[in-house]
Each structure stands twice: as structure tokens, then as C-alpha cells.
């Protein structure tokens, strides 16, 4: 007992009690919800698919946060506007292709062009951010680039508002993505959900293979370990950091199109909530860890969709889905209490933390 109190203080004990209370409440709520029989198995499957769809978008955005943190040890809060810019400019491309009939005649080519336009836009914004706002601050105290990132985020938001207005714009219908596939048991999967899940899985696989199997990926991992030593080994640190912003920006732009295909609307502030959720996912999985960002995004999406109803409906909460944001952040707090480094995060040394 004496060794226990030497190792852990009163705050640790209180936090564990809070975590245990949350876990017990969630378990009791889940039992009550399942015993009520209010939801059929098909409904739970639908919720799970919806969660995977949402979580796939979170994971793609979270990769940008975690990659930039990995090489620069800073939180790039402007990444949510990199995501917004791709979806926003993609809207104009989608509208033009729909109005001209190009999307109707060439739906697959139209989608590919839409992704390319969004990715190119987001890459341009991300590289400009790195070159103009962040490069000179690499040796600055960590609070300086953090404040700069927040300022850049606000600048981009209001620049888009000034250029394109504050109204909500609706994405045109995409030929080939209307409708759903019916599965046994009354389960339906919409075509757009299939596109989002498959596209996100392929992009995450490509990124994982890039970082693990290529020389450029090896250089990126070396820079994330120690920039000075990587430079001594002949690695072009500046080019590697720019490459990181290019990859993160491309993923954010394509995630913006996928998000717009789900919700069918874009605004100048559309990046705020998904950006916060993606940052939460990156922390949840272990900031700086690519597989962790993927896992964190999927975990957050499924928790929002399934966990909210599972945990709360048994207590008679009238509209539990409206509390999905609160539940998602409670799960984040719970994970950080039990495992402060995140699900797959490693314990960082003082110089890297």
C-alpha cells in the first residue's frame, strides 16, 4: 500500500474513480438498451456502417494532423481549413460538370476530376501555409507556431467567406451514387457509403505502404525522429516537410469531397467541427502515429453512431443522437485517463513531447 501511494497521487486515484464511474454507467446503459429490444439487429448494422463512413472521413483528416505533428511537433489547427478549401473549390467543379452534362455522361471520370481538383486546391493551401506561416517558426517556442496556426485558420475561413459569401451551397446530385444495396436482414448500404469507406481504406493503405516501403517514407520517418540527425544523414529536411504537407493536404482535400458527398453542402466554416473531431481522433489513436490516427478516426465515428444510442437510450434520454459530440469527447477523456498516450501512442521522451 505504501509503494502504491508513493507511485500514484490522490489525483490519479480520483481520475481512475471517474473513469470507473463512466465505464459502469456505459455498461449499465448498454444492458438496458439491449434488454429493451427497441432496436433490431439491422438497425445496429446500419448504425455501424454509418459510423464507419463518418469515421473514415475523420481518419483521413486526422492523418494530416498526425503527420505534421510527427515532423514539426506542432498542432496545425489550420488543417481544418485545408479540408474546407478542397470541398469548397470542388463544389464549383462539381456544379460546372453537372450543369454541362459532363458528370451525367462520364460519372466515373467526373468523380476522379472532382477529387483531383479538391486535392490540388488543398495541397496548394497546405504548401503555402508551410512556406509562408510555419517555416520560419521551426526553432521558435512551441506556443508561437500554435498561435500562428490558429490565426491562419481564421484567416482562411474569412478569406473564403469574403470571396464566396457566407451562404450554404449544395453539392449537385452525383449520377451513380444515388440508391443503395439491400443485404439480407433488411440492411441497406448506400452507394455513397460504399464509395467513402472503400476510397478511405485504399488511401490509408497507400499511405501506410508509402511510409513503410519507400525511401521517401523512410526519410519522413527519419525526420520525425530527429531533424538534425536526418540532415546529417543527407536527407533534405525541407523537402521532406513539404512532402508531408503535400500528402496531408491531398488527403484533406479528398476527405472534403467525401464529406460533401455525404452531407451535400459546403460553407466557409464547414471545417471547424470535422477538424476538431479529426484532431480528437488523432489524439485518441496516439498523436504522431499513422495507424493510430486511422484507428482513432474509425473508433470515434463508430462511437458517435453506435455508442451514443447504446449508452444513453436505456436511460430514457429522448434524443440520444443529439448528444453524439458530447459522447465522443467523453470517450476521449476516458481513453486519456486510462492511457494518456492514446490507443497506439508510444511514451514520448521529454525532447519529443
Amino acid at each position: 500500500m505504501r509503494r502504491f501511494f508513493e507511485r500514484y497521487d490522490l489525483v490519479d486515484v480520483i481520475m481512475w474513480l471517474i473513469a470507473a464511474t463512466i465505464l459502469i454507467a456505459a455498461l449499465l446503459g448498454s444492458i438496458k438498451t439491449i434488454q429493451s429490444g427497441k432496436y433490431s439487429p439491422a438497425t445496429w448494422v446500419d448504425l455501424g456502417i454509418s459510423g464507419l463512413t463518418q469515421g473514415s472521413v475523420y481518419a483521413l483528416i486526422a492523418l494530416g494532423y498526425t503527420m505534421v505533428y510527427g515532423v514539426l511537433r506542432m498542432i496545425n489547427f489550420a488543417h481544418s481549413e485545408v479540408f474546407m478549401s478542397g470541398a469548397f473549390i470542388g463544389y464549383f467543379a462539381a456544379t460546372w460538370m453537372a450543369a454541362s452534362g459532363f458528370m451525367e455522361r462520364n460519372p466515373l471520370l467526373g468523380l476522379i476530376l472532382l477529387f483531383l481538383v479538391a486535392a490540388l486546391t488543398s495541397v496548394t493551401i497546405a504548401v503555402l501555409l508551410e512556406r509562408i506561416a510555419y517555416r520560419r517558426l521551426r526553432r521558435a517556442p512551441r506556443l508561437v507556431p500554435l498561435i500562428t496556426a490558429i490565426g491562419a485558420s481564421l484567416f482562411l475561413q474569412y478569406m473564403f467567406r469574403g470571396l464566396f459569401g457566407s451562404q450554404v451551397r449544395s453539392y449537385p446530385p452525383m449520377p451513380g451514387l444515388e440508391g443503395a444495396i439491400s443485404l439480407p436482414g433488411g440492411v441497406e448500404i448506400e452507394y455513397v457509403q460504399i464509395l467513402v469507406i472503400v476510397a478511405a481504406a485504399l488511401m490509408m493503405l497507400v499511405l501506410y505502404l508509402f511510409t513503410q516501403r519507400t525511401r521517401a517514407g523512410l526519410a519522413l520517418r527519419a525526420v520525425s525522429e530527429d531533424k538534425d540527425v536526418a540532415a546529417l544523414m543527407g536527407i533534405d529536411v525541407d523537402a521532406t516537410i513539404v512532402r508531408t504537407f503535400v500528402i496531408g493536404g491531398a488527403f484533406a482535400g479528398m476527405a472534403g469531397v467525401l464529406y460533401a458527398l455525404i452531407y451535400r453542402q459546403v460553407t466557409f466554416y464547414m471545417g471547424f467541427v470535422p477538424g476538431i473531431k479529426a484532431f480528437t481522433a488523432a489524439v485518441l489513436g496516439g498523436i504522431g502515429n499513422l495507424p493510430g490516427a486511422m484507428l482513432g478516426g474509425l473508433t470515434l465515428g463508430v462511437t458517435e453512431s453506435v455508442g451514443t444510442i447504446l449508452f444513453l437510450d436505456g436511460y430514457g434520454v429522448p434524443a440520444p443522437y443529439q448528444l453524439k459530440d458530447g459522447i465522443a469527447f467523453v470517450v476521449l477523456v476516458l481513453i486519456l485517463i486510462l492511457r494518456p498516450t492514446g490507443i497506439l501512442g508510444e511514451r514520448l521522451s521529454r525532447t519529443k513531447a
Side-chain angles (χ1 to χ4, degrees), residues 224-292:
S224 72
E225 286 293 323
D226 193 313
K227 287 192 285 294
D228 295 331
V229 174
L232 290 174
M233 299 296 289
I235 294 173
D236 188 337
V237 174
D238 286 340
T240 302
I241 292 175
V242 170
R243 196 176 298 128
T244 301
F245 276 82
V246 168
I247 296 170
F251 275 53
M254 290 187 280
V257 172
L258 294 176
Y259 186 87
L261 291 177
I262 299 171
Y263 295 103
R264 303 284 296 276
Q265 60 183 19
V266 293
T267 63
F268 75 95
Y269 59 86
M270 64 171 285
F272 179 72
V273 173
I276 292 293
K277 296 285 185 66
F279 174 63
T280 302
V283 175
L284 187 64
I287 190 81
N289 186 308
L290 291 181

